[in-house]
Amino acid sequence: MNDNQKSLILNSSSQYPLPQGVKLSYGTAGFRADASILESTVFRVGILAALRSLKTQSLTGLMITASHNQVNDNGVKIADPSGGMLTQEWEPFADAIANSPTPQHLVQLIDEFVKKENIRFDGVRSAEMLLGRDTRPSGESLLEAAKQGVYSIVGATATDMGILTTPQLHWMVRARNKGMKATELDYFEQLSSSFRCLVDLTPNQIKMNNTDDKLVVDGANGVGGEKLEVLKKMLNSMVIEVRNSGKEGGVLNEGVGADYVQKEKVVPRGFYLKDVGIRCASLDGDADRLVYFSVQSNNASNINLVDGDKILSLFALFIKEQLSILKMEGDDHVDDNYEARLGIVQTAYANGASTDYLKQLGLEVVFAPTGVKYLHEKAAEYDIGIYFEANGHGTILFSEGFLSWLDARNNELSSKSKGSEQQKAALRLLAVSNLINQAVGDALSGLLLVEAILQYKGWSIHNWSELYHDLPSRQLKVKVVDRTAVVTANAETVVVRPPLIQEAINVEVAKYPRGRSFIRPSGTEDVIRVYAEASIQEAADSLANSVAKLADQFLGFGNSG
């Protein structure tokens, strides 16, 4: 960096001093904290996004959101050129610049990093970014801080895309870097046209029963409800009622939203006994998570939850069916068949019943450590990779090689057996690849895919919910002296250190039918998280308590005696 560039960063960063005592860490959610202490962090992430653009010679994105957190919080994250999350290799640098104590120290850090990464400031190509924010009141001032960070890099440009869902911004970055049009209208048009294509390919004899014609969606009083109101006008074949859209005066994520519904297993505000029998869904604050539910007839506050595991199972079942239809050759081109590798990626928190169900379908199920970035990376190893967390965050990835083959196969079938079941299966898979957001989990695109598949199957939410029955589970946390003392392996399912604790856990697990338990260190606080499941709730509770006591004895303060 030349002296002009250094002095530009020095001067602008002095306008955004780091608050006393603040230390932040860049994780799956980016940086997230109370909005009142975030201006300096967001300013510095603006610089980071510009440097990432220069390094990759591609457009990057910056999103200001705190997702399912309370309204007073906010956060910031970067969309890499692929549309995915910031590469993990850059996370330590993100931490370093966010916590740099002075403008002089910040400039020195950036200068060293630029040299190490060989980032060129030759003016041949300037940095370019798309910026977005959710509906939080603090978003506007934080966006200004982000812009100042971007503009402190010579020649960098930033386009403010306005209020967006997080997945919309990621989609736009991915589309732009693929040379496609990437406005918000382009996003809506791609989703709606792909959805209509899938619905048009529904077998004629299948019609959903009348009680299931309607979908009621809880918008978490956030940006997702607002965007769904726009999208539903383009979907004349669907009846969608949006509640908690944010226009009725409700508070973002307060008693509403996918995170609340999934964790508490109760109805969000604005849902009542009159909703019994109706398909209901809930988005989170920035619309990257989705869960479904139905209101129980005996108690309006209780729900039958259809979580991310069941969404994954529905998607996996549908895609497996379409691949099977494609293989049912009616001509002499059997050799042309592409043996697509379909992989299902879960974390250890996935309910054991869902894993058993997927394996019974004959599918390849693999595990990744907790965190969407790990799931996404693993799913990308397959021709078709499907991942979801139980909280409703997930998507489907299609390899370029498979999509090229599928496109060619569709063209061949179109010329030789137009309208055949094989061609329809090819068209359905192509439509899914356009409907689903392949950059990140997207509640709006996921919701439309669920609706299209339920129509295709002729299923009610009850039929879907009955795919399998969750094993009872319990999650606990144990305060420990040092969470880093725990080292896990096999996607966090086995403890490697400290020695002997895993053997003790195995002894407890063996006492319970269908027992399973693991511990893992929290990513943010000195606690150990305990997960347990078993055939009945009392057994799951008892197993969780036993394993929590072990964690306390081996790692904690010895409170359990």
Side-chain angles (χ1 to χ4, degrees), residues 332-394:
D332 56 358
H333 279 74
V334 179
D335 293 343
D336 282 356
N337 246 334
Y338 185 106
E339 200 57 52
R341 272 193 80 211
L342 171 57
I344 312 300
V345 189
Q346 294 186 306
T347 72
Y349 284 107
N351 195 278
S354 75
T355 309
D356 291 345
Y357 171 77
L358 293 161
K359 286 180 174 174
Q360 282 159 17
L361 288 178
L363 294 166
E364 182 180 346
V365 183
V366 293
F367 287 86
T370 304
V372 176
K373 58 189 173 188
Y374 303 112
L375 291 156
H376 195 95
E377 198 175 276
K378 193 73 186 167
E381 295 174 11
Y382 294 87
D383 289 308
I384 307 173
I386 313 177
Y387 71 84
F388 262 86
E389 293 185 305
N391 63 27
H393 192 136

Side-chain angles (χ1 to χ4, degrees), residues 403-480:
L403 287 177
S404 295
W405 173 82
L406 189 61
D407 208 31
R409 189 78 188 103
N410 175 52
N411 291 337
E412 183 189 14
L413 287 164
S414 180
S415 62
K416 295 190 173 176
S417 52
K418 193 172 179 66
S420 66
E421 284 309 305
Q422 286 92 338
Q423 199 218 352
K424 286 178 183 174
L427 285 170
R428 285 185 197 111
L429 288 170
L430 286 168
V432 171
S433 75
N434 286 318
L435 173 55
I436 201 75
N437 189 335
Q438 293 189 56
V440 287
D442 184 337
L444 299 184
S445 75
L447 180 130
L448 293 186
L449 183 53
V450 165
E451 292 301 309
I453 295 173
L454 291 179
Q455 285 199 40
Y456 172 84
K457 303 286 288 179
W459 281 2
S460 66
I461 190 168
H462 179 71
N463 299 135
W464 176 20
S465 180
E466 291 293 307
L467 281 180
Y468 60 82
H469 294 284
D470 280 337
L471 288 167
S473 64
R474 175 67 62 214
Q475 293 187 46
L476 300 173
K477 58 184 184 180
V478 180
K479 285 200 167 186
V480 294

Side-chain angles (χ1 to χ4, degrees), residues 482-489 494-503 505 519-521 528 551 554-555:
D482 176 16
R483 71 181 187 275
T484 62
V486 176
V487 179
T488 61
V494 176
V495 182
V496 179
R497 283 205 310 269
L500 305 179
I501 189 170
Q502 187 58 53
E503 288 87 336
I505 291 170
I519 66 170
R520 57 178 284 270
I528 296 300
F554 277 84
L555 299 148

Side-chain angles (χ1 to χ4, degrees), residues 44-359:
R44 293 166 185 210
V45 173
I47 296 174
L48 182 70
L51 294 177
R52 187 73 189 142
S53 176
L54 285 173
K55 169 70 177 179
T56 58
Q57 294 288 285
S58 303
L59 176 103
T60 58
L62 183 151
M63 183 70 195
I64 295 168
T65 180
S67 188
H68 51 274
N69 282 35
Q70 62 188 20
V71 71
N72 292 336
D73 286 348
N74 217 323
V76 59
K77 58 175 100 171
I78 287 178
D80 240 17
S82 65
M85 297 174 184
L86 174 69
T87 179
Q88 290 169 55
E89 285 78 31
W90 276 45
E91 286 182 11
F93 176 60
D95 288 354
I97 66 167
N99 297 303
S100 179
T102 65
Q104 291 78 9
H105 186 258
L106 177 67
V107 170
Q108 186 186 338
L109 266 179
I110 292 169
D111 194 36
E112 288 168 1
F113 185 75
V114 162
K115 284 173 184 160
K116 180 174 82 74
E117 290 286 322
N118 195 25
I119 297 171
R120 291 160 59 193
F121 287 79
D122 53 14
V124 173
R125 189 193 177 285
S126 60
E128 190 182 357
M129 270 130 291
L130 300 182
L131 309 181
R133 62 185 173 95
D134 69 15
T135 53
R136 290 163 198 272
S138 57
E140 209 165 338
S141 61
L142 291 177
L143 186 79
E144 187 53 39
K147 286 178 181 174
Q148 294 311 314
V150 172
Y151 298 149
S152 67
I153 298 299
V154 174
T157 61
T159 306
D160 179 2
M161 305 304 289
I163 291 175
L164 298 172
T165 70
T166 296
Q168 282 182 312
L169 182 86
H170 284 265
W171 182 93
M172 288 169 179
V173 170
R174 181 176 186 266
R176 274 284 299 275
N177 284 319
K178 282 175 162 281
M180 295 156 55
K181 290 192 296 179
T183 65
E184 188 173 22
L185 183 61
D186 295 320
Y187 168 88
F188 286 135
E189 285 182 343
Q190 182 166 318
L191 262 60
S192 56
S193 62
S194 308
F195 173 75
R196 282 193 297 271
C197 178
L198 266 179
V199 170
D200 289 346
L201 289 162
T202 300
N204 288 331
Q205 68 272 25
I206 295 174
K207 294 291 173 201
M208 298 188 80
N209 63 54
N210 289 334
T211 57
D212 263 335
D213 281 342
K214 184 178 179 183
L215 171 69
V216 184
V217 181
D218 158 34
N221 291 319
V223 63
E226 195 176 291
K227 300 305 181 185
L228 186 55
E229 290 283 11
V230 179
L231 183 58
K232 78 174 192 179
K233 290 172 185 161
M234 304 170 80
L235 304 168
N236 43 24
S237 64
M238 259 188 85
V239 181
I240 303 176
E241 180 189 337
V242 182
R243 296 184 194 163
N244 305 321
S245 69
K247 302 293 184 201
E248 308 95 336
V251 179
L252 176 70
N253 294 328
E254 195 173 287
V256 293
D259 190 62
Y260 173 78
V261 170
Q262 189 250 341
K263 283 194 171 67
E264 302 299 325
K265 295 183 175 56
V266 295
V267 295
R269 285 180 184 166
F271 286 74
Y272 316 97
L273 206 54
K274 67 180 175 64
D275 299 316
V276 169
I278 296 173
R279 248 177 10 274
C280 302
S282 198
L283 320 175
D284 74 331
D286 66 338
D288 62 0
R289 292 183 182 185
L290 169 73
V291 295
Y292 273 71
F293 64 93
S294 58
V295 180
Q296 301 280 54
S297 56
N298 58 342
N299 184 340
S301 67
N302 287 347
I303 59 166
N304 180 19
L305 178 69
V306 184
D307 64 5
D309 291 339
K310 281 213 167 110
I311 294 173
L312 181 150
S313 298
L314 182 72
F315 289 177
L317 179 65
F318 178 76
I319 285 174
K320 181 179 186 289
E321 281 182 11
Q322 303 315 307
L323 289 171
S324 299
I325 294 168
L326 261 180
K327 278 186 188 172
M328 290 164 32
E329 290 296 339
D331 54 35
D332 56 358
H333 279 74
V334 179
D335 293 343
D336 282 356
N337 246 334
Y338 185 106
E339 200 57 52
R341 272 193 80 211
L342 171 57
I344 312 300
V345 189
Q346 294 186 306
T347 72
Y349 284 107
N351 195 278
S354 75
T355 309
D356 291 345
Y357 171 77
L358 293 161
K359 286 180 174 174

